[in-house]
Amino acid sequence: MLSRTADHLYWMARYTERAENTVRMLDVSYRMSLLPRNNGCHDDGWGAILAISELTEAFARTGRPLTPRDVIEFVVLDRNNLSSVWNCLRAARENAHAVRGTLTAEMWETTNATWLEIRDMTPEKLQATDLGEFFEWVKFRSHLLRGVTFGTMLHDDAFQFVRLGTFLERADNTARLLDVKYHSLLPQNESPTSTTDYYQWGALLRSVSAFETYRHVYRDVITPYKVAELLILNDAMPRSLHSCVDAVNDILGQIANLHSAEAARQAGELHATLHYGRMDDIFDTGLHPWLERFLERINRLGDRIGDNFLVPVAA
């Protein structure tokens, strides 16, 4: 298929997934801010939100204080923040409009309606809105688009590029969330295998829709070790790194072209790391260095996919 069409479909999916993951990260900080803290917990949730998205310097340039209200407004609505939820949903709609003929009517209507609903959102309107309900609305609109995509779109190469964008973005965001939140929630000198604050870690699991899954898989108290294991190595967990890379590896096999051997190699190598990996080895390496390395590799894979399949970026 044309690289321009593939590019728009891929980025439509990535921006939609990015908007969803951004509100998931906001949601976990919002939930945690309402909970009592253990003495050993040093979570700076709102600063962590900016660190996760590499927005600390951009936020500092605005001159705003580091308060929940200012961080939420910046991350959700700031027109100058290209990673804000507002800008992500705008970009998703623009990419969908560029390939409207490739989408089904339901896909276009869902994407367009989402943008029309958030387009006129202002800080005043956001403050008057229940934040939990707003976060759920963004997640619901993302879920709705995925549902109509799976249920109405022909499962051809165009469909695979939508999936490819979704899973690459999800892997990146899950790794960022786990990297920042894991260390801020784990009190100093506490073992990853020890039991920990049920409500704080429960909020983290809920942020990636994994609370019920954790209880089903482990049927035990929440421990940081098992949280990391679920979100990294469990291939049956839809938002885990293993599951996302599984999907990326499979999709690249289906859309392979004459130039994509290196992308396939990188995806296969990353898949093998997760498929045969063990949490003990990851913790021996250090969870933070391991996740940093994962982010480097997933971003390098994204660059390679761009080179092999999508519209070249202008110099």
Side-chain angles (χ1 to χ4, degrees):
M1 65 184 300
L2 292 175
S3 61
R4 186 168 299 278
T5 300
D7 187 87
H8 286 303
L9 292 168
Y10 172 87
W11 284 108
M12 177 195 74
R14 286 204 71 157
Y15 281 123
T16 301
E17 182 72 19
R18 187 173 300 173
E20 177 186 347
N21 282 283
T22 297
V23 299
R24 285 180 179 276
M25 290 186 280
L26 287 171
D27 192 26
V28 68
S29 284
Y30 179 66
R31 287 175 184 265
M32 288 178 177
S33 71
L34 302 177
L35 296 172
R37 305 273 181 105
N38 283 340
N39 292 332
C41 182
H42 304 286
D43 181 42
D44 175 19
W46 302 106
I49 285 291
L50 299 172
I52 289 170
S53 305
E54 300 180 359
L55 293 172
T56 303
E57 292 183 5
F59 181 80
R61 287 195 295 271
T62 68
R64 292 185 173 198
L66 188 64
T67 65
R69 174 174 178 169
D70 287 281
V71 172
I72 290 172
E73 287 183 7
F74 177 75
V75 174
V76 172
L77 293 179
D78 196 294
R79 275 43 168 182
N80 295 318
N81 171 14
L82 297 181
S83 295
S84 70
V85 174
W86 191 90
N87 271 317
C88 284
L89 294 178
R90 176 189 58 81
R93 190 263 184 193
E94 289 179 354
N95 278 282
H97 185 265
V99 287
R100 187 171 174 179
T102 304
L103 307 180
T104 63
E106 291 86 351
M107 291 175 67
W108 164 248
E109 288 166 4
T110 299
T111 306
N112 192 48
T114 301
W115 166 241
L116 292 177
E117 287 190 53
I118 200 173
R119 179 181 59 182
D120 299 323
M121 178 68 75
T122 64
E124 293 74 24
K125 290 180 180 178
L126 183 64
Q127 289 302 319
T129 302
D130 181 280
L131 285 177
E133 289 184 5
F134 175 76
F135 297 152
E136 288 301 319
W137 176 81
V138 175
K139 288 189 279 185
F140 172 77
R141 298 305 299 184
S142 178
H143 297 168
L144 186 59
L145 179 59
R146 279 200 300 275
V148 297
T149 299
F150 187 84
T152 67
M153 191 176 189
L154 188 67
H155 289 197
D156 56 4
D157 281 355
F159 174 75
Q160 299 303 339
F161 277 103
V162 174
R163 293 181 66 233
L164 185 61
T166 297
F167 288 114
L168 270 172
E169 187 67 31
R170 185 178 297 175
D172 179 273
N173 281 272
T174 297
R176 290 177 187 275
L177 177 64
L178 183 59
D179 188 27
V180 174
K181 287 296 182 183
Y182 188 94
H183 292 92
S184 64
L185 286 180
L186 187 66
Q188 290 183 342
N189 302 319
E190 180 175 304
S191 167
T193 58
S194 65
T195 59
T196 189
D197 189 295
Y198 174 85
Y199 296 103
Q200 297 279 353
W201 288 88
L204 173 60
L205 288 168
R206 285 188 174 92
S207 75
V208 288
S209 300
F211 183 74
E212 291 81 6
T213 301
Y214 183 97
R215 295 178 63 185
H216 177 76
V217 172
Y218 295 107
R219 302 180 185 277
D220 199 356
V221 295
I222 297 175
T223 68
Y225 182 98
K226 291 176 181 176
V227 170
E229 182 179 60
L230 180 69
L231 297 183
I232 294 174
L233 296 182
N234 192 312
D235 62 344
M237 166 60 197
R239 307 192 77 84
S240 75
L241 304 186
H242 191 176
S243 177
C244 292
V245 174
D246 248 352
V248 169
N249 191 49
D250 177 67
I251 293 164
L252 287 175
Q254 296 185 53
I255 61 174
N257 62 28
L258 295 176
H259 309 287
S260 62
E262 177 58 20
R265 187 198 67 78
Q266 289 184 20
E269 185 178 60
L270 190 53
H271 174 259
T273 298
L274 292 161
H275 187 73
Y276 297 107
R278 299 192 315 157
M279 284 310 302
D280 288 344
D281 295 334
I282 291 173
F283 275 105
D284 286 344
T285 301
L287 184 61
H288 177 64
W290 190 94
L291 287 169
E292 280 195 325
R293 172 64 174 154
F294 175 85
L295 284 167
E296 290 174 3
R297 295 172 72 181
I298 202 73
N299 289 326
R300 189 165 65 247
L301 175 59
D303 291 341
R304 176 60 62 177
I305 288 169
D307 292 340
N308 292 166
F309 296 101
L310 308 178
V311 175
V313 178

